[in-house]
Amino acid sequence: MGRLIIVSNRTPGKGPAAGGLAVALRKTLAEREGFWFGWSGKLVDAPSSEARFESIDGLTVAQIDLTRPDHHAYYAGFSNSILWPSFHLRLDLATIEGHWYEGYRAVNQQFARALLPHLRPDDIIWVHDYHLIPLASELRNLGARNRIGFYLHIPFPTADALYAIPHHNELMRDLSRYDLVGMQAKRDVAAFTEFADHQSPSSISGNPLKSVDFSRSETAAFPIGSDPDAFASLAVSPAATKMVKRVERTLREQRLILGVDRLDYSKGLPQRVEAYEKLLANDARFRRVTHLMQIAPPSRDSIKEYQETSDALDAICGRVMGRFAEPDWSPLTYVKRAYGQPSLAGLYRLARVGLVTPLRDGMNLVAHEFVGSQDPANPGVLVLSRFAGAAEIFPDAIMVNPFDTDETAEALRMALDMPRQERIDRWTTLMAAARKYSVDNWSRNFLERLAPATTSDSATARKTA
């Protein structure tokens, strides 16, 4: 295999990577010749025409700058005000401005033009996430014939939601220009296949749109996990132990229910706190002996819908505190800041319940991190949304419909009352799945599938895909 070129919206910065996925991609690139390409994070008056190369923590990184108008249209506009809500089936939260697509396309063209001069014929290009769906088309239009793979980190929408996205046919045609399209779950591949099989309805003029040819592109599920054994070690590290001791002094004998999420409307955070409220209201024996901790660092807080989610969560947390708090007991802690992986691993290990209940989500690395951090002799219980990408590989979690807060409240009761042996049995199966779908296995499986094959191998792969 030639060099590996990773392309994403942002490039890694100096210092420890913030998430498990960034850690894995750094490790994958460090084991191969190649570089990481993306936006520098800088906004300038004139767009970059050439990439700047530098070494960051041993990795070769190539960066370009964007203008403020282009970045707004591409990132806050088309990517996060149209694609993100639509892919998460929240069309009611989508805001559509026609010029945003032009900016989205222009930034992808800028990426392609800056990347192309640095490509060699045998380079393998791995493009990440919804910001860069058109990148393969733009590279192909410039003459690139490399193997190019794409991985979608968020759910793929149903056909009806896809039809609501402006220029959806162009976006699907863009996906058809990749050699391999990877998704988190089988449900996402099924939604993609439904569109590919039936294509789009007629356009506004009544003329059917030209169908998209997917015959040269392979689509498959590649579930992303974390590094469960690394989290097992982190959970007993000095930094984790320090965090555990701090929290234990406050909790005393209370059982911890833990949620760790970005502050995002897709995570179902107000519904989660409402379910906890119902648990306390329905069964008084859980008062004074349980504590909900929700860690939710803000994200995209300049976008109106995210501000509204933050306000809703503030309100419901205040309501629960006012309803149930006593002078010597607080029912919950709500923290709007991020913590490092060692501290989180310690909290995961301390928690009796890991509450991962998005309304719809893709990767759900928190579920994997929680499982990896548990004490094998006394593990906690994972309560997981059936609409989470991880639900397909973690059937031994307690599955819930996050929209049904009564069901989630009952799941919390079951988890808190679960005998130790059942917790051990469930965790053992979950940990085996976490190891099978570790992030290292994920990157290796994807790149092995993307790597060039002989003509006969390619024909066999298409017949068996």
Side-chain angles (χ1 to χ4, degrees), residues 256-405:
L256 177 64
I257 302 168
L258 179 65
V260 179
D261 308 84
R262 287 186 306 105
L263 186 50
D264 187 291
Y265 54 74
S266 68
K267 304 299 183 182
L269 301 184
Q271 293 88 341
R272 183 180 304 177
V273 178
E274 183 179 332
Y276 178 63
E277 179 182 28
K278 288 184 175 180
L279 173 74
L280 300 179
N282 296 341
D283 199 332
R285 67 191 173 94
F286 290 114
R287 301 174 198 173
R288 303 182 65 86
V289 300
T290 60
H291 188 89
L292 172 66
M293 179 182 293
Q294 178 61 57
I295 297 174
S299 72
R300 304 169 190 154
D301 46 9
S302 63
I303 298 176
K304 175 175 65 72
E305 289 77 14
Y306 289 79
Q307 296 171 341
E308 291 171 351
T309 298
S310 179
D311 292 343
L313 190 56
D314 288 345
I316 193 168
C317 287
R319 187 177 79 199
V320 173
M321 288 291 289
R323 183 176 180 185
F324 294 108
E326 298 179 20
D328 60 343
W329 176 65
S330 172
L332 63 82
T333 300
Y334 171 31
V335 184
K336 288 186 178 181
R337 56 160 293 187
Y339 290 87
Q341 288 188 333
S343 294
L344 289 178
L347 290 173
Y348 292 141
R349 193 177 185 89
L350 180 62
R352 181 62 177 271
V353 181
L355 200 51
V356 185
T357 54
L359 304 180
R360 180 171 169 83
D361 213 348
M363 298 188 296
N364 306 116
L365 291 179
V366 167
H368 291 260
E369 294 168 359
F370 175 82
V371 170
S373 302
Q374 295 309 297
D375 177 359
N378 188 26
V381 179
L382 177 62
V383 175
L384 182 63
S385 165
R386 59 173 50 96
F387 306 122
E392 290 185 359
I393 63 173
F394 283 157
D396 278 72
I398 300 180
M399 297 291 178
V400 297
N401 171 8
F403 296 93
D404 185 344
T405 53

Side-chain angles (χ1 to χ4, degrees), residues 196-228:
D197 289 345
H198 298 99
Q199 299 287 316
S200 178
S202 298
S203 68
I204 193 169
S205 64
N207 298 319
L209 295 170
K210 184 179 179 181
S211 63
V212 181
D213 179 9
F214 293 102
S215 63
R216 299 181 182 180
S217 180
E218 181 185 0
T219 306
F222 296 87
I224 301 179
S226 66
D227 185 340

Side-chain angles (χ1 to χ4, degrees), residues 226-262:
S226 66
D227 185 340
D229 293 309
F231 268 87
S233 298
L234 277 178
V236 293
S237 66
T241 302
K242 181 179 179 181
M243 173 61 79
V244 167
K245 288 181 177 178
R246 285 175 56 193
V247 176
E248 281 182 329
R249 283 196 296 268
T250 302
L251 290 181
R252 297 185 294 274
E253 299 301 318
Q254 297 173 58
R255 288 171 288 181
L256 177 64
I257 302 168
L258 179 65
V260 179
D261 308 84
R262 287 186 306 105

Side-chain angles (χ1 to χ4, degrees), residues 426-438:
R426 285 176 179 264
W427 173 81
T428 300
T429 305
L430 291 171
M431 187 62 169
R435 285 183 170 130
K436 178 179 179 181
Y437 296 103
S438 73

